[in-house]
Amino acid sequence: MPAKGAQVDTDVIVVGGGVIGTAAAWRAARLGRTVTLIDPGDRDPVTGDQASLVAAGMLGPVSESVFGERDLLNLNLHAVRRFPAFNAELEQAAGQSTGLRTEGTLSVAYDSDDLAALDRLTDFRHSLGLKAERLNARECRKLEPFLTPGVTGGVLAAGDLSVDNRRYLAALRVAARAAGVRFVRGSVDSVDRVPGHAAGIRVRAGGGPNPTAHGVESHRDQYAGQVVIAAGHGTSRINGLPDQVRRAIRPVKGQVLRLRHPKGLPPILTRTVRAVVQGRDIYLVPRENGELVVGATQEERGDRNVTAGAVHDLLRDAITAAPAVSELIFAEASAGLRPGTSDNGPIVGVISENGSAECEFPPTGHPRNGLVIAAGHFRNGILLSAVTADAVTALLGDRPPDEVWKPFSPRRFM
Ligand SMILES: Cc1cc2nc3c(=O)[nH]c(=O)nc-3n(C[C@H](O)[C@H](O)[C@H](O)COP(=O)(O)OP(=O)(O)OC[C@H]3O[C@@H](n4cnc5c(N)ncnc54)[C@H](O)[C@@H]3O)c2cc1C
């Protein structure tokens, strides 16, 4: 039994309601666990603190990995293979679409240097056995007629997917609720073992910006046999986690734009387009509903201000890539904080009860005393959400996750 006054009313507490926490909560509940998800609860993409709502939703395993990140690439490839089946189950459970698209990514070049860089990326894709088709300028514009005539060539990565991350998170929430997950508003400031009680982890709810206004039912401590910390970049602020793990996570700001087609204008793009414009990477991700996401900056900052300079650069580069972008309606500019890590890889594993400095992979000891971390998904959290949920449910059940996760244990930071 936990400390006096405490109440163990759930098997698992998940801290954080972005794609990582919500996907894990849904899957754990489906396996018959009682699950409580704690999150401050502001769902507004502009004012809320959720990278999951700001993201572009590209599921491109190669284009988001850089040369040398071989372990991360293997994980991303595993993730993109898993995503469609997970998504199909999700759409069925939630009874709504997530806007998954399968037309691939077209990366285009504007000069010979860009083209040479694309060639190297194509060779790399081929070496991994991935499909990547070199296209000349005419072929690129045949696929995407609204691209600027200045395109010199490109590469089509047919295996890349994209998803409408907002619809995806909405579906995860519906599915989680339907599976019995209890949503509680609150901000967790620390996680610790209940003294003298092996089977309890205490989560103190520190309250969000205005907890009572949200009718917080979590202002008391919450207890559970197992806790999953999935608080994105906010994981670094949760006391009770090993310092080395907290220090490994930092916010990396990204600003994006959302544009909409006016009535009567056909979609100007049918697939994700990536380009380098004057040395800056840009992507344009079309949605089924006529939205076009343009992103993104990558800044070593922890604020979520939208800046005039970023909006200017993103619009100018998007219009350079596809001049018809200037006809679109400006709908939104937002900024999110990617949960970055010092080696760009996620942190998924069990933190053992033998002391805060000890991390286990695969887990040892009884899972009922488990503290699991699933954070630091940096640029790939939407892509990795399905396989992270698989890994977390394995860890909660005292089973090792897929081997591909081995390099991403918290142990590597200890
Ligand atoms: C501009 C941009 C573009 C991106 N594009 C892509 C892309 O195309 N593809 C892709 O795969 N990924 C992309 N990403 C990355 C992706 O968005 C993240 O990796 C992913 O959203 C991380 O999910 P998460 O659930 O860990 O974090 P978040 O979505 O940030 O959610 C964390 C949650 O935890 C809550 N929380 C924080 N602290 C506490 C606390 N103490 N107590 C309780 N709750 C707490 C927060 O309120 C939040 O709801 C992009 C990110 C950005 C910013």
Side-chain angles (χ1 to χ4, degrees):
M1 286 292 291
K4 194 165 177 274
Q7 196 186 320
V8 177
D9 50 7
T10 191
D11 295 332
V12 181
I13 288 176
V14 176
V15 179
V19 288
I20 301 298
T22 314
W26 171 46
R27 300 306 277 194
R30 265 179 39 127
L31 290 175
R33 303 295 179 89
T34 55
V35 181
T36 297
L37 187 150
I38 305 181
D39 188 277
D42 186 346
R43 300 283 143 202
D44 187 309
V46 178
T47 58
D49 188 3
Q50 284 197 316
S52 300
L53 289 177
V54 174
M58 291 176 294
L59 310 174
V62 177
S63 42
E64 283 296 314
S65 317
V66 295
F67 293 106
E69 290 178 349
R70 193 55 195 250
D71 290 333
L72 184 57
L73 180 60
N74 286 341
L75 179 64
N76 288 347
L77 290 169
H78 173 60
V80 80
R81 285 191 293 267
R82 171 75 174 110
F83 200 91
F86 181 92
N87 188 68
E89 264 187 77
L90 173 63
E91 288 185 329
Q92 195 177 24
Q96 59 196 65
S97 161
T98 62
L100 184 71
R101 298 191 64 157
T102 57
E103 293 90 343
T105 302
L106 177 63
S107 300
V108 292
Y110 296 101
D111 60 32
S112 52
D113 284 352
D114 291 352
L115 206 53
L118 271 187
D119 257 352
R120 287 194 294 276
L121 187 66
T122 308
D123 289 342
F124 181 54
R125 277 180 176 267
H126 287 159
S127 75
L128 297 168
L130 295 174
K131 279 191 193 153
E133 192 187 344
R134 287 187 173 88
L135 303 176
N136 63 29
R138 196 178 46 81
E139 290 165 330
C140 289
R141 296 196 67 230
K142 195 169 169 205
L143 279 183
E144 297 295 347
F146 284 98
L147 285 178
T148 171
V151 166
T152 52
V155 176
L156 177 66
D160 283 5
L161 309 172
S162 72
V163 71
D164 184 332
N165 45 297
R166 292 183 178 173
R167 292 168 73 190
Y168 176 65
L169 181 56
L172 283 171
R173 288 175 58 78
V174 170
R177 267 187 209 288
V181 174
R182 179 171 148 251
F183 285 77
V184 165
R185 290 194 178 185
S187 179
V188 169
D189 62 19
S190 76
V191 54
D192 43 25
R193 321 266 166 189
V194 179
H197 301 285
I201 289 176
R202 181 172 58 190
V203 177
R204 276 193 288 273
N210 188 0
T212 43
H214 297 307
V216 173
E217 43 171 319
S218 63
H219 224 45
R220 61 175 173 80
D221 290 349
Q222 298 271 322
Y223 297 86
Q226 298 176 306
V227 172
V228 179
I229 303 290
H233 78 93
T235 301
S236 66
R237 292 194 301 264
I238 297 181
N239 294 309
L241 294 173
D243 284 346
Q244 300 95 321
V245 173
R246 292 174 62 189
R247 276 199 299 271
I249 299 172
R250 71 183 197 287
V252 180
K253 177 175 170 179
Q255 302 189 51
V256 290
L257 311 178
R258 282 175 159 79
L259 311 175
R260 273 204 320 269
H261 287 66
K263 273 207 178 93
L265 185 68
I268 65 168
L269 295 176
T270 51
R271 56 182 53 73
T272 298
V273 167
R274 299 188 72 119
V276 180
V277 180
Q278 292 177 348
R280 287 180 299 270
D281 280 309
I282 187 167
Y283 53 72
L284 300 96
V285 186
R287 303 275 194 241
E288 274 174 348
N289 63 3
E291 187 176 74
L292 185 72
V293 183
V294 176
T297 67
Q298 188 160 310
E299 305 162 61
E300 289 294 335
R301 299 175 65 99
D303 67 84
R304 291 190 305 105
N305 298 329
V306 173
T307 61
V311 173
H312 169 264
D313 288 354
L314 289 169
L315 279 178
R316 185 193 50 207
D317 294 348
I319 291 168
T320 304
V325 165
S326 60
E327 305 296 321
L328 301 187
I329 297 165
F330 187 93
E332 182 191 301
S334 51
L337 299 176
R338 304 173 183 91
T341 61
S342 37
D343 62 4
N344 297 339
I347 305 175
V348 175
V350 167
I351 294 180
S352 88
E353 64 184 299
N354 301 333
S356 59
E358 196 180 327
C359 297
E360 302 282 348
F361 189 102
T364 59
H366 200 283
R368 295 237 164 256
N369 301 321
L371 175 56
V372 173
I373 183 165
H377 292 74
F378 194 29
R379 298 181 304 241
N380 300 300
I382 311 295
L383 169 63
L384 292 173
S385 55
V387 289
T388 300
D390 292 344
V392 168
T393 48
L395 291 165
L396 292 174
D398 204 18
R399 284 178 288 113
D402 193 288
E403 277 287 303
V404 77
W405 280 103
K406 208 159 191 169
F408 301 103
S409 156
R411 186 198 285 266
R412 71 192 191 277
F413 296 112
M414 309 311 278

